[in-house]
Amino acid sequence: DIQMTQSPSSLSASVGDRVTITCRASQGISNSLAWYQQKPGKAPKLLLYAASRLESGVPSRFSGSGSGTDYTLTINSLQPEDFATYYCQQYYNTPPLTFGGGTKVEIK
Amino acid sequence: EVLLVESGGGLVQPGGSLRLSCAASGFTFSSYWMHWVRQAPGKGLVWVSRINSDGSSTTYADSVKGRFTISRDNAKNTLYLQMNSLRVEDTAVYYCASMGYCGGDCYLDYWGQGTLVTVSS
């Protein structure tokens, strides 16, 4: 199984900050990566897929990049509604689909 | 509007059974692969199972293989998860999710609100 490791596990940031979250796969996943946002008590929401493709309706301040084993989610100009937990998920080698452990973005 | 609504969760004793349902609307359910993903309290997301569009192919996480069965009724636009021999460690919110139209496993584009399963004596 491909293991997904996210870092950091949590971070504190202020409104307007630029935030970067990293996801590392245990082997190359050829951009077969999705990012999700989850708010407390709510279902996850798809933000990006294929590492860098923005899902319809997602604000353009969210972006993704990377290749091989290392991928990044960037939030430019953090907004109050962006405080949440973010997960990466690989779909290169399945089953199983595997998720990262999550990164909680908190208000500084 | 795509809508996925899970039901069937609740409190069950270890060794017991439960069947979850996921009612789908707002899209052509019979064309899409569907998944179950769970989340233990305060923990991360864990994939559970997947079924293809016509129900002929299913896959499971090792932790539930042989105990859980995923199925679907395309005439009723409903996805199911039959859970047998439940363990305390199966306690979680269970989400159903639809998969992008990829031709193979990929990202999960729509999620239900989840249903809580608690396994406890």
Side-chain angles (χ1 to χ4, degrees), chain A residues 65-79:
Chain A
S65 63
S67 63
T69 60
D70 296 328
Y71 297 86
T72 299
L73 171 68
T74 300
I75 311 172
N76 283 303
S77 188
L78 196 68
Q79 297 300 298

Side-chain angles (χ1 to χ4, degrees), chain A residues 89 94-99, chain B residues 20 22 32-39 45-53 55-72 79-83 90 93-99 105-108 110-111:
Chain A
Q89 175 235 318
T94 65
L97 276 70
T98 47
F99 293 88
Chain B
L20 306 183
C22 171
Y32 288 83
W33 294 22
M34 297 294 294
H35 295 250
W36 288 99
V37 175
R38 69 185 181 183
Q39 186 170 37
L45 302 170
V46 177
W47 174 79
V48 172
S49 182
R50 182 268 287 153
I51 188 167
N52 70 344
S53 56
S56 62
S57 172
T58 59
T59 59
Y60 299 92
D62 287 344
S63 58
V64 307
K65 202 173 294 183
R67 300 188 299 124
F68 289 12
T69 302
I70 189 173
S71 63
R72 65 192 298 161
L79 175 73
Y80 302 101
L81 185 68
Q82 177 67 44
M83 304 186 295
D90 294 320
V93 173
Y94 285 74
Y95 296 100
C96 66
S98 63
M99 198 181 76
D105 285 326
C106 65
Y107 53 89
L108 305 176
Y110 293 99
W111 297 62

Side-chain angles (χ1 to χ4, degrees), chain B residues 76-93:
Chain B
K76 295 183 177 179
N77 288 345
T78 302
L79 175 73
Y80 302 101
L81 185 68
Q82 177 67 44
M83 304 186 295
N84 298 331
S85 303
L86 282 161
R87 305 168 180 168
V88 171
E89 55 266 34
D90 294 320
T91 295
V93 173

Side-chain angles (χ1 to χ4, degrees), chain A residues 2-84:
Chain A
I2 296 178
Q3 310 302 316
M4 305 300 292
T5 303
Q6 277 183 245
S7 60
S9 56
S10 65
L11 62 91
S12 296
S14 300
V15 173
D17 283 354
R18 181 183 187 187
V19 167
T20 299
I21 298 168
T22 296
C23 185
R24 173 165 288 175
S26 58
Q27 65 184 75
I29 58 172
S30 192
N31 288 357
S32 299
L33 184 88
W35 289 97
Y36 302 88
Q37 175 193 68
Q38 186 180 34
K39 296 181 179 179
K42 300 295 186 182
K45 173 188 173 184
L46 177 67
L47 298 176
L48 297 108
Y49 60 95
S52 61
R53 295 193 174 187
L54 204 63
E55 173 70 347
S56 176
V58 174
S60 58
R61 62 180 179 273
F62 291 92
S63 63
S65 63
S67 63
T69 60
D70 296 328
Y71 297 86
T72 299
L73 171 68
T74 300
I75 311 172
N76 283 303
S77 188
L78 196 68
Q79 297 300 298
E81 60 268 29
D82 300 336
F83 292 96

